[in-house]
Amino acid sequence: MFPVPRRLRISPAAALAAALLAGCGGRADGGARARSASADSAVSVVDDAGRTVRLDRPARRIVALVPAVTETVISIGAGGSLVGRTDYDRGEMVERLPSVGGGLDPSIEKLVSLHPDLVLGWETSGRTELRDRLTALGIPVFAMKIEDTTDVFRSVRNLGALTGRGRAADSVSASIRRELDAVRASVASSPRPSVFFLVWNDPPMTAGARTFVSQVIEIAGGRNVFGDQAALWPSVSMEEIVRRQPDFVLVPVGERGMVRLEAMRTAVGWRELRALREGRGVPVPSQVVNQPGPHLAEAARAIRDAIHPGVKGR
């Protein structure tokens, strides 16, 4: 999910980040124009690169190159249409599937051998080689860019159209919205502590204002201490983090290579943070908070419980 150094791109979060950082494409903001009807009718949807992707019928053999998108496909009941996965997908439904490698650099040969009728890939401005090559081979590619919560809901709607599961997609979106509203209401009268969300520690990286992470922190009753940053995933100096003294430091855990919270408490620079010295460095599940998909409300609850332990479980 995050734009982290190359050595970290072994994780699902890192793979997602690399794509999010890759630049701005000409997506159709305000929602793709989708048309889908019965199970056998043609589908036409505008992707986040501004391209109209047409299918003769809803997709039945799908390879998703974005872990959060894979989860969304499953959430709308189309998991049975998945015929391949990336190295970063997790879960019983997908681990049985053959892997095509990384989301940004899959094996073309392996991917083609799976005979997909739709590939769901990253929208990466300036890096269209994969999309162009698959398109030339006659494989439709739907490019997706998911940076904030609006993008999450648009992606759910588009995937519903592409798979002929529009009603299920609407139901999933409605459920996520209800749960987010419940989290927001549970902390409506609580103080709003400042939060530093750790993307990576060397150099320190965090979430900027226009990311789903920053928005979820707000929903969870917190305030992104770097919410004034325009970049999606900015690098910030240790000195600036210490100067801002966030009330909480949230550390996603569960990824290979992610720094351990215990080590941070004694590391140069980090040990200058009162939040870490006073027990307000809190681990949060990376597989939940790093995925801009159907786990959005779960991420909000996890962050809320970390910074508002008094309302945990509501």
Side-chain angles (χ1 to χ4, degrees):
M1 175 188 63
F2 305 121
V4 293
R6 180 173 295 277
R7 66 181 184 278
L8 303 180
R9 292 178 183 170
I10 57 175
S11 71
L16 176 57
L20 292 176
L21 184 66
C24 299
R27 65 175 167 169
D29 284 327
R33 297 181 296 277
R35 175 171 59 84
S36 66
S38 68
D40 294 323
S41 62
V43 176
S44 178
V45 185
V46 177
D47 72 5
D48 291 341
R51 302 159 54 249
T52 298
V53 176
R54 296 183 176 84
L55 305 177
D56 291 337
R57 64 176 186 176
R60 292 292 178 265
R61 295 184 63 83
I62 300 171
V63 176
L65 301 178
V66 186
V69 170
T70 300
E71 292 184 349
T72 302
V73 170
I74 294 171
S75 75
I76 63 175
S81 298
L82 293 168
V83 296
R85 64 176 176 87
T86 71
D87 290 344
Y88 309 114
D89 287 295
R90 299 288 183 269
E92 184 177 351
M93 180 166 280
V94 295
E95 288 182 346
R96 61 180 172 78
L97 299 174
S99 175
V100 298
L104 293 172
D105 55 351
S107 165
I108 297 289
E109 293 74 16
K110 185 68 176 179
L111 208 161
V112 171
S113 74
L114 298 175
H115 304 291
D117 57 13
L118 179 65
V119 172
L120 304 169
W122 298 104
E123 160 49 16
T124 53
S125 265
R127 297 185 60 183
T128 62
E129 297 89 351
L130 173 64
R131 186 178 70 201
D132 294 345
R133 188 171 175 186
L134 291 174
T135 301
L137 292 170
I139 300 175
V141 179
F142 192 84
M144 307 182 75
K145 177 186 288 185
I146 309 173
E147 295 171 348
D148 60 19
T149 55
T150 298
D151 297 336
V152 172
F153 290 110
R154 187 183 65 253
S155 70
V156 173
R157 184 175 68 248
N158 285 344
L159 292 172
L162 290 165
T163 60
R165 293 178 177 272
R167 288 187 178 180
D170 290 344
S171 178
V172 168
S173 290
S175 177
I176 295 172
R177 286 193 170 94
R178 281 196 302 272
E179 294 183 51
L180 289 176
D181 286 344
V183 172
R184 186 184 289 108
S186 70
V187 292
S189 60
S190 301
R192 303 184 73 82
S194 60
V195 175
F196 176 78
F197 187 94
L198 182 70
V199 170
W200 188 247
N201 66 308
D202 185 21
M205 300 176 74
T206 190
R210 295 182 296 115
T211 64
F212 70 94
V213 169
S214 185
Q215 293 169 339
V216 168
I217 288 172
E218 296 290 328
I219 292 170
R223 177 173 55 84
N224 181 1
V225 76
F226 281 101
D228 58 347
Q229 299 295 301
L232 289 173
W233 311 103
S235 294
V236 293
S237 70
M238 194 71 242
E239 292 77 11
E240 186 61 18
I241 301 171
V242 171
R243 189 185 72 79
R244 297 194 183 200
Q245 288 291 338
D247 296 317
F248 285 88
V249 175
L250 299 187
V251 181
V253 297
E255 303 289 349
R256 290 173 290 177
M258 179 57 86
V259 67
R260 301 294 184 188
L261 181 57
E262 286 301 319
M264 287 177 61
R265 291 189 174 110
T266 57
V268 174
W270 297 105
R271 65 191 180 199
E272 304 303 321
L273 295 178
R274 288 192 295 274
L276 292 182
R277 292 200 307 269
E278 297 172 1
R280 284 176 276 108
V282 187
V284 288
S286 59
Q287 286 292 342
V288 171
V289 299
N290 287 348
Q291 297 288 5
H295 292 301
L296 207 59
E298 190 178 349
R301 282 195 299 273
I303 292 175
R304 180 204 59 185
D305 292 350
I307 64 178
H308 293 289
V311 298
K312 186 175 183 178
R314 293 186 190 175

